[in-house]
């Protein structure tokens, strides 16, 4: 008995799974590279722990930047000042004491984007910040968008945490969180802190540095 529609659904399902696994592999590699940089600086920094809420927040923003073809911490619509990145983080379920965000676009590999961040003072400061315990990385490759590759790093320390616990390893790529939609339904990114927007030959970078106790400059 022929079942062509079923075959199509199976093929589509396999392709979706393949893309999700490739996405998660890129994200986990960024976390590994970030922790390698924290160790290499000889600053006594603890490794950052994988966090699913920060991962969801970061993925939503990367996908949204690609879907709506913009590059910013702030979304192009919504409230006049946009939705702050720390609101996007709390919306994902992460209640923070400190948080920060790096974004990038146009970098094709984890090595390239981490190298770009590490060669920018503001991004490097986030990556090597001793106050952060947790990290989430979101990568999206979006056909038809200006930069195709979109990256978000969200950093945090949970409210009430005085000392970072033992780090949680990145789960296997097949166990990566699945978003309910293709992009952030409320828009996201933006907010206080120091905003840096610089152009590079291989891509673009932007950063919001540490935000302590919900205060914004």
């Amino acid at each position: 008995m022929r079942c062509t529609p079923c075959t199509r659904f199976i093929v589509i399902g396999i392709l979706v799974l393949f893309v999700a696994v490739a996405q998660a592999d890129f994200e986990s590699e960024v976390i590994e590279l970030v922790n390698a940089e924290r160790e290499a600086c000889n600053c006594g920094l603890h490794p950052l722990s994988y966090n699913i809420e920060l991962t969801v927040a970061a993925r939503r923003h990367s996908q949204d930047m690609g879907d709506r073809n913009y590059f910013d911490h702030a979304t192009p619509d919504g409230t006049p000042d946009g939705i702050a990145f720390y609101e996007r983080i709390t919306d994902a379920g992460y209640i923070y004491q400190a948080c920060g965000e790096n974004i990038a676009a146009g970098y094709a590999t984890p090595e390239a984007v981490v190298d770009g961040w590490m060669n920018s003072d503001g991004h490097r400061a986030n990556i090597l910040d001793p106050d952060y315990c947790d990290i989430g990385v979101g990568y999206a490759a979006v056909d038809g968008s200006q930069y195709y590759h979109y990256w978000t790093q969200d950093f945090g320390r949970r409210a009430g945490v005085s000392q970072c616990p033992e780090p949680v390893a990145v789960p296997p790529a097949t166990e990566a969180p699945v978003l309910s939609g293709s992009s952030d339904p409320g828009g996201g990114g933006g907010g206080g802190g120091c905003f840096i927007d610089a152009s590079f030959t291989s891509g673009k970078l932007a950063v919001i540095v540490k935000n302590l106790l919900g205060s914004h400059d």
Side-chain angles (χ1 to χ4, degrees), residues 31 35 38 44-52 94 132-135 156-158 161-170:
I31 294 176
N35 280 330
R38 288 174 69 88
L45 298 176
H46 52 80
L48 296 176
S49 177
Y50 167 86
N51 179 269
I52 190 169
Y94 190 91
Y132 295 142
C133 300
D134 306 316
I135 186 174
R157 177 192 287 256
R158 285 191 182 279
V161 172
S162 58
Q163 184 174 354
C164 294
E166 287 296 312
V168 174
V170 180

Side-chain angles (χ1 to χ4, degrees), residues 4-217:
T4 303
C6 295
T7 304
R8 287 175 185 160
F9 283 128
I10 291 171
V11 171
I12 291 171
I14 292 172
L15 289 174
V16 169
L17 178 61
F18 176 80
V19 171
V21 170
Q23 176 188 36
D25 282 342
F26 265 25
E27 293 164 352
S28 63
E29 190 171 348
V30 167
I31 294 176
E32 291 174 3
L33 291 168
V34 163
N35 280 330
E37 293 289 354
R38 288 174 69 88
E39 182 178 5
C41 80
N42 294 317
C43 310
L45 298 176
H46 52 80
L48 296 176
S49 177
Y50 167 86
N51 179 269
I52 190 169
E53 292 94 350
L54 293 178
T55 298
V56 168
R59 280 191 167 187
R60 285 176 174 171
H61 191 53
S62 291
Q63 189 69 50
D64 191 51
M65 286 192 292
D67 285 347
R68 295 200 283 164
N69 207 22
Y70 70 95
F71 179 72
D72 205 331
H73 292 280
T75 54
D77 57 14
T79 60
D81 296 326
I83 297 175
F85 81 101
Y86 51 87
E87 293 176 302
R88 179 158 37 82
I89 286 172
T90 55
D91 284 347
Y94 190 91
I95 308 305
Y96 66 88
Q97 174 180 323
C99 63
E101 180 172 273
N102 289 344
I103 62 175
Y107 294 87
T109 66
E111 293 86 354
V113 73
V114 172
D115 186 61
W117 279 327
M118 288 299 294
N119 281 289
S120 169
D121 290 343
H123 305 87
R124 181 185 177 91
N126 268 342
I127 288 172
L128 301 182
D129 195 313
D131 288 333
Y132 295 142
C133 300
D134 306 316
I135 186 174
V137 176
Y139 167 72
V142 183
D143 287 329
S145 61
Q146 182 177 2
Y147 296 106
Y148 185 75
H149 304 282
Y150 293 86
W151 306 83
T152 303
Q153 285 181 319
D154 284 326
F155 304 90
R157 177 192 287 256
R158 285 191 182 279
V161 172
S162 58
Q163 184 174 354
C164 294
E166 287 296 312
V168 174
V170 180
T174 53
E175 298 176 15
V178 178
L179 303 184
S180 58
S182 62
S183 62
D184 185 351
C194 174
F195 180 74
I196 302 171
D197 186 358
S199 295
F200 292 80
T201 56
S202 56
K204 291 188 71 177
L205 298 171
V207 60
I208 287 182
V209 297
K210 182 169 62 179
N211 226 303
L212 287 174
L213 302 174
S215 61
H216 326 303
D217 299 326

